Amino acid sequence: MFPPPVYRRAWTHRDLLSIFPPKGIRVLDIGAGWAPLQLREQDELVTTDFESEADAEVTTDVTSDWPFGEREFDLINMSHVLEHFYPNDRDAVIRNVYNSLKPGGLVFIRVPHRSSFHSRGWEHHTSYGLGELTSLCHGHNPMLPMFRCVSVGASTSLDFYGERSAPRRLLERGLSRYWRLTDKLLANVVGGIPEVQFMLQRMGEETEQRLRRDSNAYIY
């Protein structure tokens, strides 16, 4: 259910901006905190956080209140947010994220890999490896939306805005390509992976319905 090996990669901020179209896009940053996603001048950013001190445009608990419309955003960013939700709340948020994405729109998710000490703590209620989001892509669960998995990758740094050295890029490529082996063994060999990244895309309704009917469909 994962994309071909060429799409198993980690993203940096520069990488992410490089896939944006020249014209501006509308972006929602969930749990933006004090460091919202940095965009270009032509892009429109809407920020939300449950803490009023974060000075987000919308202060709300998205697990119980979703004040955004349908098909409103080209990109929804969730940076180190999903792991703080209980499973039922997480699934509700994902359904709302799906509804608020335009067809063809992307959701970019960054969470600590379960091998990292960053994934531990009483405030973390779900943990993730490189294989954890397959349930959002295979279409067998009628309670969850079905996304196209654009990419999945292991990041060896939490510094999303910094550049990666060539050796670090090579290591990330290997960890991402062999994701089953990484989750079972390699993550511990390298001393833990700080972050795992998922890029998912909302498909058109006809495409999703057709693929749900095909229990053997693989989405690339």
Side-chain angles (χ1 to χ4, degrees):
M1 205 54 55
F2 276 69
V6 67
Y7 293 113
R8 297 174 193 165
R9 47 85 54 88
W11 299 79
T12 65
H13 180 252
R14 176 182 290 184
D15 296 332
L16 183 64
L17 292 187
S18 71
I19 68 172
F20 288 2
K23 66 178 183 178
I25 63 172
R26 183 170 168 82
V27 180
L28 174 64
D29 193 348
I30 300 175
W34 292 265
L37 183 65
Q38 298 177 20
L39 299 174
R40 307 166 304 178
E41 291 183 359
Q42 64 266 41
D43 301 319
E44 179 184 358
L45 177 65
V46 178
T47 58
T48 182
D49 202 283
F50 77 98
E51 293 185 346
S52 57
E53 295 83 359
D55 197 29
E57 294 181 40
V58 179
T59 301
T60 189
D61 181 354
V62 294
T63 64
S64 58
D65 176 47
W66 187 262
F68 308 106
E70 294 187 1
R71 304 188 177 196
E72 187 175 347
F73 300 100
D74 301 286
L75 172 70
I76 295 180
N77 182 62
M78 302 178 71
S79 176
H80 291 261
V81 173
L82 211 60
E83 69 272 18
H84 296 284
F85 298 149
Y86 289 105
N88 286 342
D89 291 335
R90 174 203 59 200
D91 291 351
V93 169
I94 287 296
R95 287 192 291 269
N96 285 326
V97 163
Y98 175 88
N99 289 333
S100 288
L101 275 176
K102 298 177 183 178
L106 300 170
V107 54
F108 183 48
I109 298 170
R110 299 166 57 207
V111 289
H113 189 272
R114 61 172 176 249
S115 65
S116 168
F117 73 89
H118 296 288
S119 69
R120 297 169 176 83
W122 65 269
E123 75 281 8
H124 288 182
H125 304 301
T126 50
S127 61
Y128 298 89
L130 289 161
E132 300 304 323
L133 264 67
T134 54
S135 59
L136 292 177
C137 304
H138 57 49
H140 297 302
N141 188 340
M143 302 302 295
L144 290 174
M146 184 179 184
F147 291 90
R148 171 179 176 263
C149 187
V150 176
S151 73
V152 58
S155 175
T156 58
S157 173
L158 293 176
D159 183 8
F160 181 60
Y161 293 92
E163 293 300 317
R164 300 287 196 273
S165 65
R168 190 180 289 269
R169 287 273 191 182
L170 187 61
L171 175 60
E172 290 178 343
R173 187 179 304 172
L175 293 171
S176 302
R177 183 183 180 96
Y178 304 105
W179 58 275
R180 289 188 180 90
L181 183 61
T182 294
D183 280 346
K184 292 181 178 179
L185 176 64
L186 296 181
N188 296 319
V189 171
V190 299
I193 298 170
E195 180 178 280
V196 59
Q197 302 176 354
F198 302 96
M199 183 79 78
L200 306 175
Q201 184 179 44
R202 175 175 177 173
M203 299 176 288
E205 292 182 4
E206 291 184 3
T207 301
E208 179 181 344
Q209 291 173 3
R210 175 175 57 82
L211 291 173
R212 280 187 183 274
R213 289 194 298 266
D214 181 0
S215 60
N216 295 316
Y218 284 79
I219 315 306
Y220 293 139

